[in-house]
Amino acid sequence: MEDNKIQEVKAPSLVTSPLVGTGVHVFAPATVANVVCGFDVLGFAVNEPGDEVVMRITNKPGITISKITGDDGRLPLDPAKNTVSVSVQHYLQSVGRTDIGLDIELHKKMPIGSGLGSSSASTVAGLFAIKTLLGDDADPAKLLPFAMKGEEMACGHGHADNVAPALLGGFVLIRSYEPLDVVRLPHPAGLYCAIVFPDVDVPTREARQIIRKNIQMKDAVTQWGNIAGLVSGLFMQDIDLIGRSMKDVLVEPVRSMLIPDFYKMREMAMSLGAVSFGISGSGPSVFAFTKDEETARLITQKLQQHLTGLKIGSNTYVSTINDAGPRVIG
Ligand code: HSE
């Protein structure tokens, strides 16, 4: 990986480009990483929640972040410390456009530290905004290394299983990190995702530190059988195969300890008709796949009631898989 520091931008004069004053408003989706058995290699995008970035070209070279809303003051306005501006700066360097000025507003529309790819949604919205403003029609996948810089900064590791589906939409496999090789997978139409975010703090950085560094061969065999089963189920549109493959013997046994009543919630979701249930990303959000919207809504409602009984607040979301990825909304 390259050095993550941003080089100082020399900004001696005002920009007089015809682009000055143009702006764009972009939405990028939340994502469910790992998809239970595919730690760091599988993820998919959902329709809601997501984050929004408003970006304008200014006549003062360099990046400023003028506003962040919805973050309770948790995110830095300093462009050298914010994942959105850092990723955008890396992109500008790569296309040789550090001469331009940018003003960024970040509107957080989803919880931070939720396991729903919060930093990825912001970063991808920022990268999609600058790509749109500059009229860069290159394949969006080319933005992936810049988005991964943001992940590296946010949680100490440049994994791609949130940023890739946020950027490309749909279901994504990271076949390899070095070299980066990302494969978009099909999925059955009509698969619903029920998400419950219990309001407890599980920072990704810490949730990564607690997992085992070495694994047993017998567990590896179980895991790769399940990953292959899940990918086959996606291709074959076999929802039952998808469901029985979504088992994780490596990470979930450790991380589930950070999530209130994880196994009870799984039992409830499965008895209400879920196809599968697991941790979203590094948690604390959990998700279930269902075959219809009604079951997804029932699961979110019952799990939320259960958490309320434990005096834990929660947010819930029901969505199909978002195949579009980021989009311009204004
Ligand atoms: N694959 C990452 C992890 C996703 O599980 O740590 C973080 O959302």
Side-chain angles (χ1 to χ4, degrees):
M1 282 283 173
E2 287 165 34
D3 188 350
N4 203 19
K5 273 187 214 138
I6 305 181
Q7 286 164 24
E8 198 67 40
V9 180
K10 293 201 174 57
S13 60
L14 292 185
V15 178
T16 51
S17 155
L19 288 174
V20 169
T22 53
V24 71
H25 188 168
V26 168
F27 165 88
T31 42
V32 171
N34 300 337
V35 201
V36 182
C37 53
F39 178 72
D40 276 0
V41 301
L42 286 172
F44 63 87
V46 290
N47 294 320
E48 60 145 4
D51 279 346
E52 294 175 21
V53 160
V54 178
M55 188 179 283
R56 291 182 200 88
I57 297 194
T58 68
N59 63 0
K60 189 167 166 288
I63 302 178
T64 54
I65 301 176
S66 57
K67 193 192 272 188
I68 303 179
T69 63
D71 69 325
D72 290 328
R74 288 170 69 182
L75 299 178
L77 284 160
D78 179 349
K81 296 190 176 140
N82 189 293
T83 59
V84 180
S85 38
V86 167
S87 307
V88 168
Q89 181 66 23
H90 278 292
Y91 167 82
L92 289 175
Q93 279 169 357
S94 88
V95 294
R97 290 304 310 267
T98 50
D99 57 312
I100 65 167
L102 287 179
D103 177 70
I104 295 174
E105 285 178 22
L106 170 59
H107 300 288
K108 294 296 302 175
K109 305 274 178 166
M110 58 184 288
I112 296 170
S114 53
L116 294 170
S118 173
S119 57
S120 303
S122 304
T123 302
V124 166
L127 286 167
F128 197 74
I130 186 63
K131 177 183 190 297
T132 305
L133 284 175
L134 295 184
D136 175 355
D137 57 7
D139 182 348
K142 295 253 160 59
L143 297 176
L144 205 46
F146 310 111
M148 288 168 69
K149 290 280 182 200
E151 287 299 80
E152 205 176 321
M153 193 176 173
C155 44
H157 187 266
H159 53 269
D161 50 343
N162 289 115
V163 281
L167 191 58
L168 306 178
F171 223 112
V172 177
L173 164 72
I174 321 302
R175 203 279 309 161
S176 156
Y177 276 88
E178 286 178 20
L180 195 57
D181 185 0
V182 172
V183 183
R184 215 159 169 279
L185 302 174
H187 60 83
L191 197 58
Y192 277 81
C193 179
I195 296 173
V196 178
F197 163 52
D199 191 7
V200 294
D201 216 21
V202 178
T204 298
R205 196 180 283 269
E206 279 140 54
R208 291 187 76 86
Q209 278 161 1
I210 62 166
I211 54 186
R212 283 174 286 166
K213 301 288 174 285
N214 297 303
I215 59 171
Q216 301 263 341
M217 179 60 85
K218 74 171 175 38
D219 290 338
V221 170
T222 304
Q223 200 83 2
W224 61 53
N226 281 329
I227 296 172
L230 171 53
V231 173
S232 304
L234 290 169
F235 272 92
M236 294 160 70
Q237 315 236 345
D238 183 337
I239 292 184
D240 294 329
L241 176 57
I242 290 171
R244 64 180 189 273
S245 302
M246 286 172 64
K247 306 227 165 72
D248 173 16
V249 295
L250 300 181
V251 179
E252 183 184 281
V254 183
R255 283 187 172 167
S256 55
M257 291 186 282
L258 303 173
I259 299 170
D261 262 359
F262 174 78
Y263 290 103
K264 174 69 188 166
M265 288 198 285
R266 168 143 81 197
E267 187 193 310
M268 288 174 69
M270 296 310 288
S271 68
L272 289 164
V275 168
S276 56
F277 180 86
I279 303 172
S280 173
S282 57
S285 290
V286 291
F287 78 104
F289 274 146
T290 66
K291 291 179 186 169
D292 59 75
E293 183 175 357
E294 200 188 344
T295 309
R297 296 213 177 274
L298 184 66
I299 289 170
T300 53
Q301 187 197 336
K302 295 288 181 195
L303 295 192
Q304 184 162 52
Q305 274 170 9
H306 182 73
L307 288 166
T308 305
L310 299 175
K311 302 202 174 356
I312 296 169
S314 58
N315 293 51
T316 66
Y317 310 94
V318 169
S319 172
T320 51
I321 292 172
N322 171 351
D323 284 313
R327 63 180 194 273
V328 173
I329 55 172

